[in-house]
Amino acid sequence: MSKCGRKKYIRTNLRQMTMETIESHQDGRVTDSMAEGGSAHMQTQTGQNSIPTLAQASYRRGLMILQESWEKKVSVAGSGTGRGSPDVTLVQLPSGQTIHVQGVIQTPQPSVIQSPQIQTVQVATIAETDESAESEGVIDSHKRREILSRRPSYRKILNELSSDVHGVVPKIEEEKSEEEGTPPNIATMAVPTSIYQTSTGQYTATGDMPTYQIPAPTTGLPQGVVMAASPGSLHSPQQLAEEATRKRELRLMKNREAAKECRRRKKEYVKCLESRVAVLEVQNKKLIEELETLRDICSPKAD
DNA sequence: CTGCCCTGCCGTCAGCGGCT
DNA sequence: AGCCGCTGACGGCAGGGCAG
């Protein structure tokens, strides 16, 4: 295995997501939650074989942490009608003015970036690490899948969150926005339902889908892609093999584009989360300051 | 200059979930 | 049930930085 790849994965994603972001939380009043990202991070430094699992868990956890913190914040800062909405206290100012103060600080919220589920996951992960130190590497993919249960797509998540909180984070466009700079000979991806190669090297969608244009022939696109025949007209084994090859190349091509798109969305998603963290930190500070001010006003003077 | 490490990006595979 | 899109995981490559 390419340690570089793994290390890279761990270092970039884990460090950036878990450490930097969470650390940036800490500079405020947010209580320490490094126990999660931090411990996972440390563990990844230990065993080679356990690195993938732990790192994956940590990375995902990082994302989950960020998202959950956001959701918590949103529920706190929201109108108070949602689930788990904070207490709203009426505070009478000396001037007679009554204001609503939401119990931001008092809320049983040990850390903005903690979540029970996440801890559960971590326990499971650590337990695995401990007891399978010798037999590690045997964490089968099923277990991993369970731990790292699938989440909705980044686009979905972002769009949902965006609809929750307007103006904080822009939605991810259905189809890219930053690919305007795409060289003209690079395909702007369409997702054709069925594509056939023309003699000019163009994939033409049969439906009302846009067309996928092959980059220059020099880009190593599937040579094996052959003219499609209508399924019924395939008889000889060679034709069948060609058809299979064509399908495979087509699938690879689509997946290639999908992977690119996915990475782009992921980046955008992470950026959004980071910007949310920044916004919420500011918000949090303001609320805390406000609370202090109100306390000063309301509480009897000690001296 | 060379070797090593880090980082970013890419292509591919596997598996899940939604859709028809 | 099969197809298809999405995404985690993995391995590879290129480029930059740095120490020897």
Side-chain angles (χ1 to χ4, degrees):
Chain A
M1 132 175 152
S2 157
K3 280 183 217 160
C4 178
R6 291 285 70 225
K7 269 193 307 189
K8 164 177 62 182
Y9 188 78
I10 295 162
R11 296 248 167 82
T12 57
N13 295 317
L14 177 62
R15 184 167 65 196
Q16 283 176 6
M17 292 299 306
T18 309
M19 300 298 287
E20 287 179 5
T21 311
I22 291 178
E23 271 174 345
S24 75
H25 265 91
Q26 287 189 297
D27 98 68
R29 246 145 286 221
V30 178
T31 56
D32 108 282
S33 51
M34 291 298 287
E36 294 188 355
S39 67
H41 178 68
M42 297 311 285
Q43 285 165 32
T44 59
Q45 310 288 343
T46 59
Q48 291 282 349
N49 284 338
S50 60
I51 283 179
T53 301
L54 291 172
Q56 290 150 12
S58 304
Y59 170 65
R60 281 191 82 114
R61 217 180 299 148
L63 290 179
M64 290 166 70
I65 286 168
L66 287 172
Q67 189 187 344
E68 294 207 15
S69 77
W70 172 252
E71 284 166 352
K72 273 185 186 170
K73 287 277 205 168
V74 166
S75 77
V76 164
S79 62
T81 56
R83 60 181 162 82
S85 60
D87 297 336
V88 176
T89 309
L90 284 178
V91 175
Q92 184 89 28
L93 296 181
S95 62
Q97 189 186 2
T98 305
I99 61 169
H100 297 259
V101 177
Q102 293 184 339
V104 178
I105 310 302
Q106 293 87 345
T107 304
Q109 186 177 346
S111 164
V112 186
I113 53 180
Q114 276 184 352
S115 88
Q117 300 116 298
I118 287 172
Q119 283 177 338
T120 305
V121 170
Q122 188 194 7
V123 166
T125 310
I126 291 175
E128 271 176 20
T129 313
D130 287 345
E131 67 188 37
S132 63
E134 295 89 15
S135 62
E136 96 278 270
V138 293
I139 300 172
D140 54 38
S141 58
H142 279 309
K143 221 169 194 175
R144 252 162 46 185
R145 294 276 168 188
E146 281 172 20
I147 293 170
L148 312 172
S149 62
R150 206 167 187 79
R151 49 191 279 144
S153 73
Y154 298 118
R155 183 187 295 172
K156 235 182 213 172
I157 294 169
L158 257 184
N159 287 348
E160 278 172 11
L161 291 177
S162 303
S163 65
D164 284 347
V165 183
H166 300 284
V168 180
V169 174
K171 283 192 175 188
I172 289 184
E173 304 284 339
E174 265 308 305
E175 252 340 283
K176 53 80 213 276
S177 57
E178 63 185 45
E179 270 152 28
E180 283 92 357
T182 308
N185 63 334
I186 301 296
T188 52
M189 184 52 185
V191 191
T193 48
S194 68
I195 305 174
Y196 299 96
Q197 189 182 25
T198 68
S199 56
T200 59
Q202 265 199 345
Y203 285 89
T204 307
T206 52
D208 51 353
M209 306 296 289
T211 58
Y212 181 89
Q213 298 197 341
I214 293 196
T218 55
T219 55
L221 252 185
Q223 301 270 341
V225 178
V226 297
M227 294 288 290
S230 62
S233 67
L234 293 174
H235 294 306
S236 72
Q238 190 184 353
Q239 277 177 319
L240 288 174
E242 281 177 358
E243 173 68 6
T245 306
R246 186 190 66 84
K247 278 184 179 173
R248 176 184 153 75
E249 297 294 344
L250 191 56
R251 182 168 49 78
L252 289 181
M253 188 178 69
K254 281 185 181 178
N255 189 240
R256 204 153 44 223
E257 297 299 327
K260 280 180 193 168
E261 191 63 13
C262 181
R263 289 182 186 120
R264 186 188 65 77
R265 280 195 298 266
K266 186 174 181 177
K267 271 191 197 169
E268 201 166 334
Y269 176 66
V270 170
K271 272 186 200 165
C272 286
L273 291 179
E274 286 171 346
S275 65
R276 277 176 177 168
V277 168
V279 167
L280 289 172
E281 275 178 2
V282 171
Q283 226 170 37
N284 196 35
K285 270 183 188 170
K286 277 183 186 170
L287 287 170
I288 290 172
E289 283 169 11
E290 196 178 320
L291 180 67
E292 293 300 326
T293 307
L294 290 172
R295 273 193 184 141
D296 287 348
I297 294 173
C298 296
S299 65
K301 297 286 180 193
D303 48 302

